[in-house]
Amino acid sequence: MQQDLSTKTAAVIGAGPAGLMAAEVLAKAGVQVTVYDAKPSVGRKFLMAGKSGLNLTMDAPLDQFVPHYAEASDTLRPILDGFGPAAVQDWARGLGQEVFTGSSGRVFPRAMKASPLLRAWLARLNDLGVQLQTRWRWIGWDGAALTFDHGRVTADVTILALGGASWARLGSDGAWADILQGQDIAVAPFGAANVGLRVDWSVHMAPHFGQPVKAVAWNAGDTTSRGEAILSAKGLEGGGIYSIARAVREGTALAVDLMPDQSVSQVAERLAKKRGKESHANHIRKTLKLEPLKLALAQEWARPLPQDPQALARVLKALPVAHAGLRPMDEAISTSGGLRFDALDPHLMLNARPGTFAAGEMLDWEAPTGGYLITACMATGRWAAQGAVAHLHAAA
């Protein structure tokens, strides 16, 4: 028979999806839980993510879902096996929020917003006795005690769920990395993930700002994305670009196939038709039925366009994207890098600080948009909390 944990305390630092899920699991186990967050309100990045439709997860079998976490797949597999796409959907329904699956397999609440779900979640946590302390910024340890800008706190177990290093205004500023490294705890360098490209456009592109680039294929080495991108004064944004951001960050050249459903020879054959008195640009547009935006991109990045049909077809099928790198990390949806898994045991407890666990985006994993980020944050929050509960029982 396991010990009653009602006299045990837990401090959860960070009130995003990982921290709130950890708080829920601990409270259900009977632990007295307090969640601390540096901002005036909780779940700020979660709410921002839901402004255009909260993508909770991807409706896919685990064997198709897990590989999207790349190098971290093996580490995260048992964690996601315990709380994967199906469990996320059941959890949302349990909070009274029905979900639906879109044509791309992405799962959304019927309300499409994050706020109803967050309100229901906070109500559940309140019913479980979870205490929330906002405007409490964690600044490190003083021996066994946690130190905040408001004072010292002691707890039997701690969950760190401090987020990555993007969107600092919403709370994820990565400042915790210096605290951990000061304790000789290994942290991998941060990098921008799921982020747009900086492009220094010529004045000729201004009329196209705000338009979507559709039906193309973005190619960076072995990485290909068929997603859309939006042209802006700053560059290119959108799912099509986010999917190849990692390859670009790692130095791979980027090209775009403006006609991905046709071969080079098919494009060349159409371009070889007689053009008469038409200008070269009009001939390209009419024979290929190429949208003005795609033609503008071709002119922007490959002017003067080749006259030879075969050469021009090769350009249009692999147009080099002239960019100035990724947008700043603070504009990224998520970040790579973070607390290394070799600094943690299999239950996500810090090897250097027994009783302290970590979860969420602060861990060293990376994934694309599409529900993978929120799912892994919630799953690791649950896993870390389960580890904390087991630690409390073992210490009894």
Side-chain angles (χ1 to χ4, degrees):
M1 184 175 179
Q2 290 188 320
Q3 181 199 29
D4 176 18
L5 299 181
S6 61
T7 62
K8 300 299 182 180
T9 58
V12 177
I13 307 176
L20 295 180
M21 180 57 73
E24 180 176 336
V25 172
L26 285 160
K28 284 181 176 179
V31 181
Q32 300 175 42
V33 182
T34 303
V35 179
Y36 300 89
D37 196 274
K39 291 298 181 180
S41 58
V42 306
R44 289 193 163 199
K45 192 172 179 181
F46 185 66
L47 290 171
M48 178 63 77
K51 280 201 168 181
S52 57
L54 181 65
N55 184 191
L56 283 172
T57 191
M58 180 70 72
D59 191 2
L62 203 63
D63 284 344
Q64 295 177 20
F65 190 83
V66 173
H68 288 273
Y69 297 91
E71 297 91 343
S73 294
D74 289 344
T75 301
L76 292 177
R77 176 172 284 277
I79 299 173
L80 291 164
D81 188 48
F83 196 81
V88 171
Q89 295 176 64
D90 289 342
W91 169 84
R93 293 187 190 103
L95 287 170
Q97 301 297 309
E98 288 301 316
V99 298
F100 73 94
T101 301
S103 58
S104 64
R106 298 185 180 206
V107 177
F108 302 87
R110 290 241 172 243
M112 287 301 287
K113 297 178 181 179
S115 50
L117 183 59
L118 183 59
R119 282 196 299 270
W121 198 0
L122 292 176
R124 173 188 285 180
L125 293 174
N126 183 67
D127 290 343
L128 289 168
V130 174
Q131 301 295 310
L132 294 176
Q133 293 283 5
T134 56
R135 294 190 173 92
W136 277 60
R137 176 173 289 277
W138 180 60
I139 54 179
W141 289 280
D142 180 7
L146 298 160
T147 56
F148 294 84
D149 51 5
H150 286 285
R152 298 166 75 256
V153 170
T154 57
D156 295 303
V157 290
T158 300
I159 307 288
L160 301 179
L162 292 155
S166 64
W167 293 8
R169 64 190 176 86
L170 302 179
S172 299
D173 58 13
W176 55 264
D178 290 339
I179 300 172
L180 269 58
Q181 288 174 318
Q183 299 274 323
D184 294 324
I185 298 170
V187 177
F190 294 119
N194 296 301
V195 65
L197 280 177
R198 291 185 293 135
V199 181
D200 298 321
W201 302 112
S202 71
V203 295
H204 304 290
M205 296 302 293
H208 301 284
F209 292 164
Q211 294 183 29
V213 185
K214 299 182 178 181
V216 299
W218 307 93
N219 299 305
D222 295 331
T223 304
T224 296
S225 168
R226 290 292 296 261
E228 294 183 9
I230 301 293
L231 223 71
S232 74
K234 293 181 177 180
L236 289 163
E237 292 279 348
I241 299 300
Y242 302 156
S243 300
I244 50 84
R246 175 174 182 171
V248 172
R249 187 183 72 232
E250 293 174 350
T252 306
L254 176 63
V256 59
D257 182 347
L258 298 179
M259 304 186 70
D261 298 320
Q262 297 185 51
S263 66
V264 170
S265 59
Q266 287 173 322
V267 175
E269 183 179 353
R270 292 171 64 181
L271 287 169
K273 295 177 182 178
K274 292 182 179 180
R275 81 184 198 204
K277 296 182 179 180
E278 284 184 327
S279 68
H280 192 210
N282 275 337
H283 178 68
I284 297 169
R285 179 176 57 81
K286 288 183 178 180
T287 57
L288 300 182
K289 295 182 171 55
L290 205 63
E291 299 96 317
L293 176 54
K294 289 184 179 180
L295 183 56
L297 290 173
Q299 296 279 16
E300 179 77 1
W301 288 329
R303 186 187 296 115
L305 295 175
Q307 297 285 328
D308 175 69
Q310 192 74 23
L312 178 55
R314 287 194 295 268
V315 167
L316 298 178
K317 291 286 294 173
L319 179 65
V321 176
H323 61 84
L326 300 178
R327 296 293 306 161
M329 188 160 57
D330 195 48
E331 296 180 18
I333 291 174
S334 60
T335 49
S336 63
L339 177 58
R340 291 170 55 100
F341 283 109
D342 56 15
L344 303 165
D345 78 359
H347 303 287
L348 301 181
M349 184 172 74
L350 273 68
N351 297 322
R353 297 198 70 94
T356 298
F357 298 76
E361 199 185 334
M362 70 179 292
L363 303 179
D364 184 16
W365 57 271
E366 180 177 0
T369 57
Y372 301 99
L373 298 168
I374 289 178
T375 299
C377 284
M378 296 173 70
T380 54
R382 177 179 178 271
W383 187 267
Q386 289 175 330
V389 170
H391 178 80
L392 290 172
H393 283 303

